[in-house]
Amino acid sequence: MTQTDFANTALPLYSIAELRAIEQAAMRDLPQGLLMQRAGQAAASAALKLLHAQEDGDDAGHRRVLVLAGPGDNGGDALEAAAHLAGSGLEVLAWLAPEAQATSPEREQALSRARNSAARLMEAATSTASAAVGAAPWDLVIDGLFGIGASRPLDGECRDMAQLVNKLACPVLALDVPSGLHADTGAIDGVAIRATHTLTFIGDKPGLHTANGRDYAGEVEVASLAIDPALLPPAKAQLGGLHLFARQLQPRQQNTHKGSYGSVAIIGGAQGMAGAPILAARTALHAGAGRVYIAFPDTPPAFDSGQPELMCRRAQDVDFSGLHFAALVAGPGLGDDADTVELLQRTFESDSPLLLDADALNLMAAEPELQSALAMRTGAGATILTPHPLEAARLLDMTVAEVQANRLGAARQLAAQLGVIVVLKGSGTVIAAQDGSVVVNNTGGPALATAGTGDVLSGLCGSLLAQGWPEWEAALGAVWLHGAAADALVAAGSGPIGLTAGELIPAIRKLINALSA
């Protein structure tokens, strides 16, 4: 499978531009307003399902639903849902945002159906609107203020309403995207509605799964609206998953030895920072590499007392050629001495697959000749970079805010600029290839927001590379397994607060063995 040859089980993520093109193509062959009607019906069905899940004995009777309807087609979807829900016997209040006059014939039809239903409509401009909304005990809020076409931050009454809704204790169902969240990037400009559930239409969006998306979208479900699959283009982005690398997880043959599973060298550990490469090396060993070395830039310890199987060496005495190592990991705790620049250049000259992290990335940002040397690796082993947003910002000569405002764009730019695979860490880690393909990872969470977890990820990816995994699948697999191991520990009560990087290592080993059985 190539980087762009997504499997049948792929979960595509579509950009706003792609979705607009799909929608326009579909509407050419459908009666006017049918897509909006389908969206409204799907929203009403999702709302009823959420309300049913809340039912508890005597409390299963009267239900009150607040529907927020914006001025565009997203508001039309919400109004269609309001009419359906009112017809189901629910008490429905539709709050109409300012300037909510019909902006399309389809929305005008939806507004007419809502007015002719049992739903109560309230103009935002009325003096009692906010007070009435805030005082009521709602069972569900449906957010249809602004969808993927929103080009400005929430302001005025819509901003006030979003802040009010964010204080409510009931479930919030966002239609397409939570209002205020950018569908492509997951960025928020000011205020956004924090949904517990998002019903997104036609196709999934990357912004729901990275940056602020994971905090604001809640549980995401896709309603395809019966769009002809032939209208869906091949996706350049998709959601991560086990299916993307599962073929590499195979039971081990009996007739093998340590050499069958590759040797890894972890290069790092300057004075006072030896813990970083030790974490990476321990992970590489527990993830299945046959032999693991740590190459220290300074005098190495005699051995790792916690993991004596690791071999500690002085980096200057180690031959990094592909004859000796199936994979190299450079950067954890490497430091920034002048000697380390030369050390890093030696790793670039190796034909082995190379993963660069932490101080290796900072050195590259400070020393342009290192980036030139990296470009000379064309035809050599693959290179994977695993920056966090600050490291990516240094390499791209951007601010962290600029990177976080468009994580997919930043990862793509860095991958193309350096001719590498980029793993941009963070909420919804983005894995980008040189050809622009991206995967947004869907495992992990705040448990990983602690020192050393990046070193564990580096060691895990290096181990998979050493065992012969193709570089794209090694990057995808390492990120997914890393997050899934953290999720398993959290589910067992060991986090998210206070989980340590070292605890991830046996959890990763357990997960790999379970999936390889």
Side-chain angles (χ1 to χ4, degrees), residues 326-349:
L328 303 176
V329 175
L334 184 61
D336 58 2
D337 292 344
D339 290 344
T340 59
V341 174
E342 181 182 353
L343 176 58
L344 198 55
Q345 287 176 324
R346 286 178 54 210
T347 69
F348 290 179
E349 294 167 3

Side-chain angles (χ1 to χ4, degrees), residues 161-174:
M161 180 55 65
Q163 293 173 328
L164 189 155
V165 166
N166 286 345
K167 296 177 182 178
L168 299 179
C170 67
V172 176
L173 174 64

Side-chain angles (χ1 to χ4, degrees), residues 264-270 277 293-298 300 311-318 320 325 329 332 334 343:
V264 183
I266 311 294
I267 302 145
Y293 295 76
I294 307 177
F296 291 87
D298 302 312
M311 290 167 277
C312 301
R313 300 286 189 271
R314 189 169 182 266
Q316 281 75 6
D317 301 330
V318 177
F320 295 129
F325 295 105
V329 175
L334 184 61
L343 176 58

Side-chain angles (χ1 to χ4, degrees), residues 51-265:
L51 291 168
H52 179 71
Q54 298 178 54
E55 292 182 357
D56 182 18
D58 296 336
D59 192 39
H62 189 70
R63 295 293 187 187
R64 307 182 76 251
V65 179
L66 171 64
V67 177
L68 308 180
D73 287 349
N74 193 244
D77 300 337
L79 291 168
E80 291 281 2
H84 283 296
L85 292 172
S88 299
L90 302 177
E91 181 180 347
V92 178
L93 172 63
W95 184 86
L96 303 180
E99 302 179 66
Q101 299 86 1
T103 55
S104 67
E106 295 85 358
R107 191 187 181 284
E108 186 175 359
Q109 293 171 8
L111 180 60
S112 176
R113 274 189 282 274
R115 291 193 188 281
N116 291 328
S117 74
R120 185 161 60 101
L121 275 61
M122 178 178 288
E123 299 283 349
T126 61
S127 60
T128 60
S130 294
V133 169
W138 302 105
D139 297 295
L140 177 68
V141 175
I142 296 178
D143 166 28
L145 286 178
F146 296 100
I148 63 174
S151 58
R152 57 185 173 86
L154 299 184
D155 57 11
E157 288 93 338
C158 289
R159 181 193 60 234
D160 295 342
M161 180 55 65
Q163 293 173 328
L164 189 155
V165 166
N166 286 345
K167 296 177 182 178
L168 299 179
C170 67
V172 176
L173 174 64
L175 304 186
D176 218 10
V177 295
S179 296
L181 181 77
H182 196 284
D184 280 349
T185 67
I188 290 173
D189 186 1
V191 176
I193 285 183
R194 189 182 295 268
T196 58
H197 300 76
T198 296
L199 182 69
T200 196
F201 300 131
I202 300 178
D204 208 344
K205 288 86 176 167
L208 299 175
H209 302 282
T210 194
N212 293 300
R214 300 182 80 195
D215 286 315
Y216 280 79
E219 297 181 21
V220 178
E221 181 181 352
V222 178
S224 67
L225 307 187
I227 294 288
D228 183 354
L231 297 178
L232 304 179
K236 291 287 286 182
Q238 64 175 312
L239 200 60
L242 179 61
H243 63 281
L244 295 175
F245 58 89
R247 68 176 186 174
Q248 301 299 330
L249 293 163
Q250 300 292 333
R252 290 196 165 179
Q253 300 297 312
Q254 298 292 335
N255 188 22
T256 56
H257 52 83
K258 63 186 177 184
S260 304
Y261 304 110
S263 296
V264 183

Side-chain angles (χ1 to χ4, degrees), residues 363-379:
L363 285 168
M364 286 176 57
E367 304 287 344
E369 66 268 21
L370 285 175
Q371 297 186 36
S372 300
L374 184 65
M376 299 298 292
R377 278 178 56 83
T378 303

